[in-house]
Amino acid sequence: MSTDTGVTTGAAGAAAAGERLLEVEHLTVKFPTADGLVNAVTDLSYGVARGKTLGIVGESGSGKSVSSMAVLGLHDPRRTRIEGSIRVDGQEVIGLSEAKLRRIRGNSAAMIFQDALASLHPFYRVGKQLSEAYAAHHPKASARDARRKAIEMLDLVGIPQPDRRVDDFPHQFSGGMRQRAMIAMGLINDPSLLIADEPTTALDVTVQAQILDLLGDLQREFDSAIIIITHDLGVIAEMADEVLVMYAGRAVEYGATRELLTHPEMPYTWGLLSSVPDVSGDVDARLLPIPGNPPSLLDPPSGCSFHPRCVHRDKVPGDLCTTTIPDLSPGGRGPGHLKRCHLADPERIYATEILPEIAPDLADGAPAAPAAAPTNKEA
């Protein structure tokens, strides 16, 4: 497959297509509005293998949640234009009837939403909601069986006294307990794919760590694939095997987690890393925010969508950045690391300009950038 539109080559293609639990190819999602057509996701491709975790990171409005909701067919087809292909365990999702989509949701794939209190119905007991999720895919199960399964799942995710708390209402649970209940609901039918959309939002650091550990433990037990959507690069470093960076509805960088976080090749990724506070650095040091604002998806910029905010565009000859959308192509780290950028030598720029400013201790120990090849005259 072409490397200019997705992350289905290189390291991402290490698993054969048949081994991939989720395959998204050339996904485009648009929302017609009174002001015009919102290009929420444009030509996005990625895949996730069983037992692996893909982290999707980017600012609000980059298309992370929109693309993941499309995987479960959660967009209203009357108000959404969707193109491309989404296959969950070999089943094409786009174009399926609502009845067939309901068989996939919760059974083959499930989603944990970021606001557990808003996602749980306030008028129904937690156990009742879990039981209904189980009964929807097990019509022959009795009410007693469904309740027993709900208690079992609450126990599995670490809810104390699950046989008693199963009859509580959502407002009687703490924030961390509600998030655990949402995870229990997502896993109650043993789905092969779990999408976690900001699963640790508004939780304190200790509970965040517990939730992430729980997701890891459950993944090992069920051998499920996980997509974790987050703004937190610390969560990405902890959880993800591979990272997809999105900006303005497009994939702008992809790679194995350790490699992408230590050798990023796209200026937007540099900006995300520069915005993370260094707890070991100077307490008076200022954060380095990305200048400007995300573009309007009603009228995206011409060329590279990041060029209005990119401080490195003057390093590209001509007006490529403003006129030509760069392909998502292999960078300097090999075919498994893809970046959407016109910069010819991003690794050198990062090593000599960015890293010394955001992590001087790492820059001091980093190997020097390779010298430029000599010209014929120098040779």
Side-chain angles (χ1 to χ4, degrees), residues 87-264:
R87 292 188 297 277
V88 178
D89 208 8
Q91 172 72 61
E92 178 62 50
V93 171
I94 296 179
L96 279 185
S97 66
E98 183 61 27
K100 291 181 178 179
L101 282 171
R102 283 198 296 267
R103 297 192 193 108
I104 291 177
R105 297 183 195 130
N107 193 26
S108 298
M111 192 165 185
I112 303 170
F113 297 95
Q114 59 180 308
D115 189 347
L117 185 59
S119 301
L120 292 168
H121 199 295
F123 295 163
Y124 291 91
R125 300 178 191 275
V126 171
K128 176 65 174 176
Q129 297 181 60
L130 288 172
S131 298
E132 285 185 348
Y134 181 74
H137 296 281
H138 298 83
K140 295 182 179 180
S142 66
R144 180 176 296 180
D145 290 337
R147 177 181 170 85
R148 186 183 302 115
K149 183 67 175 180
I151 294 173
E152 176 187 324
M153 291 306 300
L154 289 177
D155 183 49
L156 182 65
V157 298
I159 298 295
Q161 299 178 301
D163 53 338
R164 184 175 66 84
R165 302 309 295 267
V166 71
D167 293 319
D168 283 353
F169 289 95
H171 71 269
Q172 295 176 283
F173 275 28
S174 67
M177 291 172 66
R178 283 194 293 266
Q179 198 65 294
R180 289 171 183 268
M182 284 298 300
I183 294 172
M185 185 179 294
L187 293 174
I188 199 165
N189 292 301
D190 301 338
S192 302
L193 172 67
L194 184 65
I195 302 173
D197 188 357
E198 296 281 0
T200 58
T201 295
L203 301 178
D204 62 61
V205 176
T206 302
V207 177
Q208 285 185 29
Q210 293 172 352
I211 295 296
L212 295 179
D213 288 343
L214 174 62
L215 286 173
D217 292 342
L218 294 175
Q219 181 182 44
R220 286 186 286 273
E221 180 171 344
F222 292 98
D223 195 30
S224 55
I226 292 180
I227 295 176
I228 185 161
I229 302 169
T230 182
H231 299 87
D232 192 335
L233 290 175
V235 172
I236 291 293
E238 177 74 19
M239 289 284 296
D241 299 297
E242 299 169 335
V243 184
L244 172 65
V245 181
M246 293 189 67
Y247 183 77
R250 294 181 183 271
V252 295
E253 188 161 8
Y254 169 84
T257 301
R258 181 178 178 83
E259 180 179 290
L260 187 142
L261 294 181
T262 55
H263 299 281

Side-chain angles (χ1 to χ4, degrees), residues 266 301-308 320-326 340 342:
M266 204 280 173
S302 61
C304 173
S305 56
F306 187 62
H307 87 261
L320 271 177
C321 291
T322 58
T323 61
T324 305
I325 299 175
R340 190 184 297 276
H342 290 301

